[in-house]
Amino acid sequence: MKQKFFLKNRAYRFKRFARKAYSVFNSMHREVNIGVISISMLTFTQVTQTSAQTSLTLVPDSVSEQELEEVTVTGSRVDLTLNQAANLVTVISKKEIEQAPVQSIQDLLHYVSNIDVLQRGTHGVQADISLRGGSFDQTAILLNGMNISNPQTGHYSFDIPINLSDIERIEIIHGPSSLVYGANALSGGINIITKKMQESKASAYLEGGSYGLWGAEANGSLKTGKVSNQLSFSYNTSDGYIDDSDYDIYNALWQTGFRTKESKIDVQLGYNNKKYGANTFFSPAYPHQYEETSSYLAGIRGETGTKLKIIPRIYWSRHDDCFQLNRGQPKPVPYNYHHSDVYGANLNMQYRWSTGITSIGTDLRNEGILSSVLGKPMKEPNGHYTRSDNRTDINYFLEHNFLSEQFSLSLGMLANHNSALTNKGFDLYPVANISYQVSPLWKIYAAWKNATRMPTFTDLYYNTPTHSGNADLLPEKSTSLEFGFKFKNNFLNAFMTAYLMQGKNLIDWRKEYPDSKWQSQNLGTVNKAGIESGVDIYFQKLFPQLNRTTLKLGYTYLHQQSGESGEMISAYVLNYLKNKFTAQLLHPVYKDLTASWNFRWQDREGIYDQYENGKSVGNTPYNPYSILDLRVNWARKSFKFNINANNIFNVTYYDIGNIPQPGFWLSAGVGYTM
């Protein structure tokens, strides 16, 4: 018997039914349509016989249907949907990635209002990513939950073998997140989730543009029974937009997944290689710097069980680099060689109770480096390497999430110990998140979070004619208190969060005069106050003639202050993004042709030592700037074509002092999927 039920006004469409992760709808693993009925009667209008099948179809009369995204995110140690998360989690979807006029993850993050992108090289060459005024070292970077943050320096944390086409979504947790992402997530974390292909297919993409830009990408997937395999390759190159800004980037990623009814295993292997001119990257007195880096990663993740879920993981990542202060000239300044290895293992066990979910587990992470300049002197030098260091980070965590229809409460604790801290036991970092669904449209939430971070090997040991590291640096600590609300109806999503954040022993590189050496130091206390807000408007819900037209607006404000600033020049703590506004407009042009406009305005606090002709001319404040980018997409069946116009008005601007960013840059690409 096939029955159709009709109802008035509105239908909401949930994916896997949000409110309780342990609900019957979730266990069905299907999409469920639920009607909101304005009268207390269902009218049975049609009943027809079928071959031994009974299905329920809700067909609303003049319905405005709203799809409520029920994406499971890593906002805590347990599997929660985005609606259940009791703190601020930003999600960049696959669709948004496909529509953005960008060539890399770093470029993409420019369009998120509450992320600061300090770009040195374009298109993923090198960029520093920070959250809530923290440094790039204070943001944890993860790939499918695997912590790939670089212990040598956060400059290299995005040297990862990922193409934009490999990504399903990007999740960003704002504020201290050591409980979720590990001990180095002092100001937040970014988790990159790759696609899990459900069918066999192959695709290719070619791109070309200004400044000798061109790239090629190929990927394929093969699904046979319970096993799926994915493989992707890419090569991108450019002559550079200024002298010594050329680059060559290679990526290779292999993923295998095995699925049964209650268990799964995921395996990843990746390789990334970069060769690029580093014009004034680290010292404006040297305009011909050069870098060669190679990154390797491997990880295995398992998952089994339903009521009691067990999730083990082991992983390894390696990073090699050779830095040349004078490109091709090892004298008078020798090349710097570095080789770092990270080995990690963690176990997360989740148990579902009638009132929520409990998570308990442990993380183990070993970080080691061989170097020509970083670390302690080796008894027996090995080739280029004369120095080394090694440390192990141990975490135990416990978290429980109380879940009900309108209320959620998450309480957790991280116990952390690092082997580099002699004569010290475990430090505790508690976390509490609470949310309340005031009405079907409004939700309020609050969070109290604590985190820590160990200094990088660069912070500790980088000693050159221009820099002095400090081997006695203490671990950083941060505490955050935030309040916010979320609003959602059938055409508008909005949020606002206000937070207070205090950092202790924060690490900054500072100097007193422009010609002084940079010195790494712990600061006593750094206080932050900020607001993060955003609104998404889906015009097609209001005006059918504006089909597929959406507008997204975001604004972030931050004030940051240190009691020890004085007249010192600060590289990080007092050099932060004070104001940022973003706007993204997506609209159809004609049939299969769409346009995506992306605008950002940034106002940076801080000063930099300006150089002209290789000589310092004094301190200069950062100037605000506005950038407008455009992407035009055409897609039909297996073909796609796009044109990107970046920095349309050819604005001159700086993310980092003395490193000018590109002006107008035009590119185009074509792809085919089989």
Side-chain angles (χ1 to χ4, degrees):
M1 178 75 68
K2 185 174 182 179
Q3 301 173 345
K4 288 188 177 181
F5 293 79
F6 290 83
L7 47 121
K8 300 289 183 179
N9 291 341
R10 180 179 298 171
Y12 290 92
R13 186 166 172 260
F14 289 74
K15 288 183 179 177
R16 297 192 181 180
F17 197 69
R19 289 298 169 202
K20 296 182 180 179
Y22 48 88
S23 69
V24 63
F25 296 99
N26 193 27
S27 65
M28 291 168 61
H29 294 280
R30 296 179 181 176
E31 295 182 358
V32 180
N33 288 323
I34 300 176
V36 179
I37 307 169
S38 59
I39 57 175
S40 60
M41 180 181 295
L42 288 173
T43 306
F44 296 80
T45 59
Q46 180 179 350
V47 178
T48 60
Q49 286 291 119
T50 64
S51 57
Q53 293 183 351
T54 303
S55 64
L56 178 66
T57 305
L58 304 178
V59 185
D61 182 15
S62 302
V63 168
S64 172
E65 182 181 83
Q66 175 189 11
E67 185 175 274
L68 301 180
E69 290 295 338
E70 293 308 305
V71 176
T72 299
V73 295
T74 56
S76 68
R77 282 284 184 176
V78 303
D79 299 332
L80 296 178
T81 65
L82 185 58
N83 281 350
Q84 290 172 319
N87 54 4
L88 182 58
V89 181
T90 299
V91 177
I92 306 175
S93 68
K94 176 177 62 177
K95 183 178 179 181
E96 291 175 294
I97 295 171
E98 293 171 349
Q99 295 165 344
V102 298
Q103 278 81 24
S104 70
I105 300 172
Q106 297 93 314
D107 296 338
L108 177 69
L109 296 176
H110 267 305
Y111 302 142
V112 182
S113 66
N114 40 21
I115 292 184
D116 185 12
V117 180
L118 294 159
Q119 189 160 265
R120 287 182 168 88
T122 59
H123 303 163
V125 168
Q126 194 181 96
D128 299 336
I129 311 299
S130 69
L131 299 167
R132 294 191 172 177
S135 72
F136 51 90
D137 289 320
Q138 297 169 357
T139 301
I141 308 301
L142 297 93
L143 177 62
N144 293 320
M146 178 173 61
N147 193 329
I148 56 175
S149 301
N150 192 296
Q152 177 190 333
T153 172
H155 293 315
Y156 299 137
S157 288
F158 273 91
D159 287 355
I160 51 180
I162 295 295
N163 303 309
L164 289 173
S165 60
D166 295 322
I167 301 174
E168 178 68 25
R169 65 183 184 277
I170 299 175
E171 302 171 359
I172 304 148
I173 295 184
H174 306 267
S177 306
S178 284
L179 177 64
V180 183
Y181 284 162
N184 57 345
L186 191 85
S187 60
I190 299 174
N191 190 13
I192 303 163
I193 310 296
T194 58
K195 295 176 181 176
K196 303 296 186 290
M197 297 300 184
Q198 301 301 317
E199 58 185 356
S200 298
K201 64 180 182 179
S203 64
Y205 180 76
L206 294 175
E207 181 182 40
S210 309
Y211 306 109
L213 169 72
W214 77 274
E217 180 182 331
N219 56 65
S221 62
L222 177 64
K223 185 174 176 61
T224 56
K226 299 177 181 179
V227 180
S228 62
N229 293 280
Q230 298 169 234
L231 185 63
S232 66
F233 297 95
S234 70
Y235 170 67
N236 293 279
T237 186
S238 169
D239 298 332
Y241 61 98
I242 57 175
D243 182 43
D244 197 48
S245 65
D246 56 300
Y247 65 81
D248 293 278
I249 302 176
Y250 302 83
N251 281 327
L253 179 67
W254 174 52
Q255 301 182 91
T256 291
F258 176 78
R259 299 289 187 274
T260 65
K261 185 176 181 180
E262 294 186 356
S263 301
K264 59 184 178 181
I265 298 175
D266 292 303
V267 181
Q268 289 179 310
L269 296 173
Y271 172 72
N272 168 269
N273 179 267
K274 296 181 181 180
K275 300 176 182 179
Y276 53 91
N279 186 320
T280 71
F281 269 26
F282 303 108
S283 174
Y286 298 89
H288 299 291
Q289 300 165 61
Y290 180 74
E291 285 260 17
E292 291 187 14
T293 67
S294 295
S295 298
Y296 311 80
L297 65 85
I300 302 176
R301 180 187 183 275
E303 182 177 319
T304 186
T306 52
K307 187 172 185 179
L308 173 62
K309 183 180 293 186
I310 301 175
I311 308 172
R313 182 199 307 273
I314 57 174
Y315 63 92
W316 162 75
S317 64
R318 168 173 291 178
H319 190 273
D320 293 313
D321 78 270
C322 173
F323 173 69
Q324 304 174 16
L325 191 62
N326 290 290
R327 186 171 185 169
Q329 301 178 24
K331 296 179 179 181
V333 182
Y335 296 166
N336 290 349
Y337 293 92
H338 310 283
H339 170 99
S340 61
D341 279 302
V342 175
Y343 298 91
N346 55 60
L347 177 65
N348 183 2
M349 295 180 290
Q350 302 176 14
Y351 187 79
R352 298 174 182 269
W353 309 78
S354 59
T355 57
I357 310 173
T358 299
S359 175
I360 186 171
T362 182
D363 289 326
L364 179 68
R365 177 181 169 94
N366 179 266
E367 302 172 338
I369 190 168
L370 300 175
S371 174
S372 60
V373 294
L374 302 179
K376 303 171 185 177
M378 298 171 61
K379 293 181 179 180
E380 297 182 5
N382 180 9
H384 297 298
Y385 308 121
T386 59
R387 295 176 173 271
S388 67
D389 200 5
N390 190 279
R391 63 196 184 192
T392 300
D393 200 70
I394 304 171
N395 296 301
Y396 297 100
F397 59 86
L398 173 65
E399 181 185 29
H400 183 74
N401 288 264
F402 299 91
L403 304 173
S404 69
E405 293 293 332
Q406 292 182 284
F407 173 81
S408 70
L409 173 64
S410 174
L411 300 174
M413 178 75 73
L414 180 82
N416 170 257
H417 170 73
N418 194 284
S419 63
L421 304 174
T422 58
N423 301 320
K424 196 168 185 179
F426 283 84
D427 288 329
L428 301 180
Y429 299 93
V431 172
N433 301 294
I434 187 172
S435 70
Y436 180 70
Q437 194 77 35
V438 180
S439 73
L441 303 180
W442 289 91
K443 177 181 179 178
I444 57 176
Y445 59 92
W448 173 60
K449 298 182 286 188
N450 295 269
T452 184
R453 181 186 78 89
M454 287 291 293
T456 64
F457 294 127
T458 298
D459 293 331
L460 294 169
Y461 301 117
Y462 192 57
N463 293 298
T464 69
T466 58
H467 291 73
S468 291
N470 183 355
D472 296 322
L473 288 173
L474 299 173
E476 298 178 305
K477 299 180 185 295
S478 65
T479 299
S480 173
L481 182 64
E482 62 184 87
F483 303 90
F485 74 84
K486 299 177 183 178
F487 175 85
K488 190 169 189 175
N489 63 13
N490 65 333
F491 69 89
L492 185 145
N493 295 343
F495 77 91
M496 177 176 285
T497 294
Y499 64 88
L500 297 173
M501 189 170 168
Q502 184 179 82
K504 294 183 179 180
N505 300 327
L506 295 193
I507 298 168
D508 194 15
W509 287 83
R510 306 196 302 167
K511 61 182 180 179
E512 188 173 358
Y513 304 107
D515 56 354
S516 300
K517 293 179 68 172
W518 290 102
Q519 298 180 345
S520 61
Q521 302 176 4
N522 283 117
L523 303 183
T525 302
V526 176
N527 295 312
K528 309 179 184 186
I531 295 174
E532 298 173 340
S533 59
V535 58
D536 301 342
I537 305 172
Y538 303 94
F539 287 102
Q540 66 269 28
K541 303 295 184 178
L542 294 172
F543 310 103
Q545 62 270 31
L546 296 179
N547 183 37
R548 294 180 294 160
T549 300
T550 60
L551 175 65
K552 296 189 175 186
L553 306 174
Y555 173 71
T556 297
Y557 168 81
L558 172 64
H559 176 72
Q560 192 158 296
Q561 185 175 15
S562 170
E564 302 179 21
S565 58
E567 298 298 323
M568 299 285 283
I569 301 173
S570 169
Y572 305 122
V573 171
L574 297 182
N575 181 348
Y576 62 93
L577 197 58
K578 187 172 184 177
N579 294 279
K580 184 177 180 180
F581 171 77
T582 59
Q584 298 169 291
L585 175 64
L586 173 68
H587 64 89
V589 178
Y590 179 74
K591 292 186 177 180
D592 299 317
L593 194 66
T594 61
S596 176
W597 302 83
N598 292 266
F599 171 84
R600 71 181 189 272
W601 171 78
Q602 296 188 182
D603 176 22
R604 183 172 300 282
E605 187 77 8
I607 58 175
Y608 66 95
D609 184 16
Q610 186 176 8
Y611 273 65
E612 292 182 2
N613 299 320
K615 295 183 179 180
S616 171
V617 296
N619 296 333
T620 301
Y622 285 95
N623 293 320
Y625 65 83
S626 300
I627 301 295
L628 179 64
D629 301 328
L630 169 65
R631 181 183 182 102
V632 177
N633 286 294
W634 177 85
R636 176 173 292 182
K637 295 182 179 180
S638 298
F639 288 94
K640 65 178 182 179
F641 175 76
N642 64 72
I643 298 177
N644 298 327
N646 295 96
N647 196 356
I648 291 176
F649 296 109
N650 200 33
V651 175
T652 299
Y653 69 101
Y654 297 84
D655 286 331
I656 300 175
N658 296 290
I659 307 177
Q661 295 304 303
F664 176 73
W665 197 319
L666 186 67
S667 63
V670 60
Y672 176 75
T673 300
M674 180 174 61

